[in-house]
């Protein structure tokens, strides 16, 4: 069995981090560890950053080779030259015009964000380029056109010719969204396998946070605040309003992933209670999760939902949106709210701040839920790798 693995899916177009890319790296490392006599060829793009751990993993195993293909060599050429039996990609969205007729295709579809959640009234506050503004205006003027374009592309991807096709999704929500949106998809062709747990690093010390002016256990944490779908604008202004109404609340707010807070959030009445950070290194992020009073995750759309689980690892209480996959992933271990309703966001924060018993309840539930789903993630990661290796037919 010869498997072609899409390592280009692990390479962000800019920077060094992308959620789908991290997923692809975890799958690759487990796949290599589980392989027996199967050959694995993994292609990457030399123009982009490749995580050194991926190269080390490949170099440490026989019958695993890395292939460098520049951006101007499309996937059709790669498949023709490598002649694999099976191809796997963790990010298939650009491959809807590829002919897989001679290979078996396994692909992970993480969600239907452009269709389920094409835009938001505050999206413009996050745009920093002319193209971003043009796209935002177009979506506002002709929202149906944007949705139809992505619907056509996804339909082509789902119907792409292949000798055999297996579709993996990270949640039941995503499976039934596919079935509901694309009637031609067969129920048994879509397998729910939770996104694998990402390898954590040791958290930095509380002192490292204090050196940044962050008070351990006295801040509300929000992550990826520079992305409009994470809905930080509504949440930040809801908290600002809460602090004005309840000045005795002794909590700060730390928001990561924001490089231009004044442009995104505008004026705040209680600016000294907010600290905005750009993307932080993993040990600092782990420390932020561990030392937070709670995680506030007001996202508008998720295919799975890593941040709540990363906070739950440290028994940090989670307040999150009651949308898409999150109730499935978090179950009764999170306090839910309508992400479009600032009053509900204020309500849940006030609830957990005023009632210590509620906070303790959700801290205990967080640890239990993380332990439970972590085992499922590990089992499902092995199941996905067995599917890629052709060792399962169910």
């Amino acid at each position: 069995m010869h498997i072609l693995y899409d390592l280009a899916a692990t390479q962000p177009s800019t920077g060094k981090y992308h959620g789908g890319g991290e997923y692809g790296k975890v799958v690759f490392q487990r796949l290599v560890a589980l392989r027996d006599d199967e050959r694995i060829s993994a292609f990457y793009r030399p123009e982009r950053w490749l995580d050194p751990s991926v190269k080390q993993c490949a170099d440490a195993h026989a019958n695993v080779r890395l292939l460098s293909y520049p951006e101007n060599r499309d996937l059709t050429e790669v498949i023709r030259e490598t002649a694999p039996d099976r191809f796997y990609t963790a990010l298939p969205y650009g491959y809807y015009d590829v002919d897989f007729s001679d290979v078996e295709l396994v692909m992970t579809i993480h969600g239907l964000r452009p269709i389920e959640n094409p835009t938001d009234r505050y999206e413009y506050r996050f745009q920093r380029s002319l193209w971003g503004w043009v796209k935002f205006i177009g979506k506002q003027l002709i929202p149906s056109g944007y949705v139809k374009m992505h619907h056509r592309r996804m339909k082509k991807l789902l119907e792409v010719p292949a000798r055999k096709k297996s579709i993996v999704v990270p949640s039941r929500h995503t499976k039934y969204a596919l079935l509901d949106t694309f009637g031609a998809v067969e129920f048994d062709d879509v397998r729910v396998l939770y996104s694998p747990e990402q390898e954590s690093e040791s958290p930095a010390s509380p002192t490292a946070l204090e050196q940044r002016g962050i008070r351990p256990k006295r801040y509300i944490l929000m992550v990826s605040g520079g992305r409009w779908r994470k809905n930080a604008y509504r949440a930040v202004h809801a908290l600002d309003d809460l602090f004005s109404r309840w000045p005795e609340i002794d909590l700060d707010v730390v928001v990561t992933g924001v490089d231009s807070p004044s442009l995104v959030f505008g004026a705040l009445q209680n600016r000294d209670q907010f600290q905005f950070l750009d993307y932080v290194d993993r040990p600092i992020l782990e420390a932020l999760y561990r030392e937070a009073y709670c995680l506030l995750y007001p996202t508008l759309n998720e295919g799975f939902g890593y941040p709540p689980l990363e906070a739950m690892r440290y028994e940090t209480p989670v307040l999150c949106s009651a949308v898409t996959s999150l109730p499935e992933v978090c179950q009764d271990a999170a306090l839910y709210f309508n992400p479009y309703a600032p009053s509900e966001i204020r309500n849940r924060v006030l609830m957990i701040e005023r009632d210590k018993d509620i906070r303790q309840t959700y801290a205990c539930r967080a640890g239990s839920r993380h332990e439970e789903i972590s085992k499922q993630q590990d089992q499902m990661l092995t199941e996905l790798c067995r599917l890629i290796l052709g060792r399962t037919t169910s």
Side-chain angles (χ1 to χ4, degrees):
M1 171 67 70
H2 179 203
I3 296 158
L4 178 62
Y5 194 96
D6 182 11
L7 274 182
T10 73
Q11 298 178 272
S13 54
T14 59
K16 295 184 178 181
Y17 180 85
H18 181 273
E22 297 303 302
Y23 176 105
K25 284 188 280 189
V26 173
V27 174
F28 179 73
Q29 290 164 349
R30 178 66 64 88
L31 183 72
V32 168
L34 290 177
R35 54 161 291 282
D36 189 4
D37 56 355
E38 298 90 353
R39 289 187 299 126
I40 300 176
S41 298
F43 80 93
Y44 67 95
R45 302 302 189 183
E47 299 91 340
R48 290 187 257 159
W49 181 78
L50 179 67
D51 191 325
S53 67
V54 171
K55 187 176 187 307
Q56 293 167 5
C57 177
D59 290 345
H61 293 81
N63 279 346
V64 179
R65 58 175 183 159
L66 295 183
L67 304 175
S68 174
Y69 279 90
E71 301 276 7
N72 61 1
R73 304 287 301 281
D74 65 23
L75 181 59
T76 301
E77 292 183 70
V78 179
I79 290 175
R80 184 172 60 247
E81 293 184 10
T82 57
D85 299 297
R86 183 175 291 116
F87 171 70
Y88 173 72
T89 178
L91 287 175
Y93 307 114
Y95 298 148
Y96 51 83
D97 284 329
V98 176
D99 186 347
F100 295 99
S101 296
D102 295 328
V103 299
E104 297 178 11
L105 171 64
V106 182
M107 59 181 173
T108 298
I109 294 176
H110 297 272
L112 300 178
R113 289 182 181 179
I115 297 171
E116 293 179 323
N117 181 220
T119 188
D120 181 68
R121 63 182 296 187
Y122 296 119
E123 181 185 352
Y124 74 94
R125 303 198 71 95
F126 298 82
Q127 301 305 332
R128 296 291 173 269
S129 67
L130 178 60
W131 170 241
W133 272 96
V134 169
K135 193 162 76 167
F136 169 72
I137 292 170
K139 288 192 287 185
Q140 292 295 310
L141 292 176
I142 319 173
S144 62
Y146 179 82
V147 171
K148 286 178 181 176
M149 176 185 71
H150 282 278
H151 188 282
R152 284 194 300 270
R153 289 179 179 176
M154 182 59 73
K155 187 172 185 293
K156 287 181 68 176
L157 180 63
L158 295 171
E159 296 176 352
V160 72
R163 192 166 70 205
K164 183 181 178 183
K165 193 185 310 176
S166 298
I167 300 168
V168 174
V169 295
S171 64
R172 292 183 182 86
H173 167 81
T174 303
K175 173 169 182 169
Y176 288 98
L178 279 174
L179 294 173
D180 179 55
T181 307
F182 303 95
V185 177
E186 294 292 334
F187 181 88
D188 292 335
D189 289 344
V190 184
R191 302 183 59 162
V192 177
L193 299 173
Y194 286 165
S195 295
E197 186 171 18
Q198 298 180 14
E199 190 171 331
S200 63
E201 296 185 33
S202 298
S205 68
T207 303
L209 300 185
E210 291 172 344
Q211 291 171 346
R212 293 169 177 254
I214 299 171
R215 300 184 297 159
K217 302 301 181 182
R218 300 310 306 164
Y219 63 89
I220 299 165
L221 176 63
M222 296 170 59
V223 296
S224 301
R227 296 163 58 189
W228 68 264
R229 278 197 179 95
K230 300 306 178 184
N231 197 32
Y233 182 84
R234 284 187 182 86
V236 162
H237 282 273
L239 292 171
D240 190 35
D241 190 21
L242 180 69
F243 295 152
S244 295
R245 297 180 185 207
W246 295 77
E248 65 270 31
I249 292 179
D250 183 28
L251 290 174
D252 298 324
V253 180
V254 175
V255 187
T256 69
V258 182
D259 59 4
S260 303
S262 60
L263 292 176
V264 175
F265 301 106
L268 298 172
Q269 299 176 69
N270 303 278
R271 181 62 178 83
D272 59 339
Q273 287 181 260
F274 292 84
Q275 183 164 350
F276 299 98
L277 307 176
D278 205 338
Y279 284 98
V280 296
D281 292 337
R282 194 73 204 184
I284 293 294
L285 180 60
E286 294 289 338
L288 287 170
Y289 280 128
R290 184 186 63 190
E291 299 298 331
Y293 186 81
C294 66
L295 173 73
L296 179 63
Y297 196 57
T299 181
L300 300 177
N301 188 278
E302 291 293 320
F304 181 66
Y306 275 123
L309 295 178
E310 291 174 338
M312 288 179 184
R313 177 187 293 126
Y314 301 106
E315 298 187 350
T316 297
V318 171
L319 286 61
C320 70
S321 304
V323 298
T324 57
S325 62
L326 289 176
E328 173 187 344
V329 171
C330 298
Q331 295 192 359
D332 68 348
L335 266 172
Y336 296 102
F337 54 81
N338 176 355
Y340 294 97
S343 62
E344 283 200 23
I345 297 173
R346 293 195 306 268
N347 179 295
R348 300 305 185 267
V349 174
L350 190 61
M351 185 185 300
I352 207 169
E353 195 275 337
R354 297 281 100 172
D355 193 325
K356 306 306 178 187
D357 289 340
I358 290 179
R359 183 175 183 275
Q360 184 59 39
T361 294
Y362 282 93
C364 292
R365 289 182 183 180
S368 298
R369 179 56 181 159
H370 178 266
E371 182 179 356
E372 178 184 18
I373 201 167
S374 180
K375 292 176 182 176
Q376 292 177 297
Q377 288 174 289
D378 186 68
Q379 292 168 354
M380 289 181 176
L381 174 58
T382 296
E383 191 176 341
L384 170 57
C385 291
R386 289 179 59 83
L387 175 65
I388 297 170
L389 292 167
R391 298 181 188 171
T392 177
T393 57
S394 60

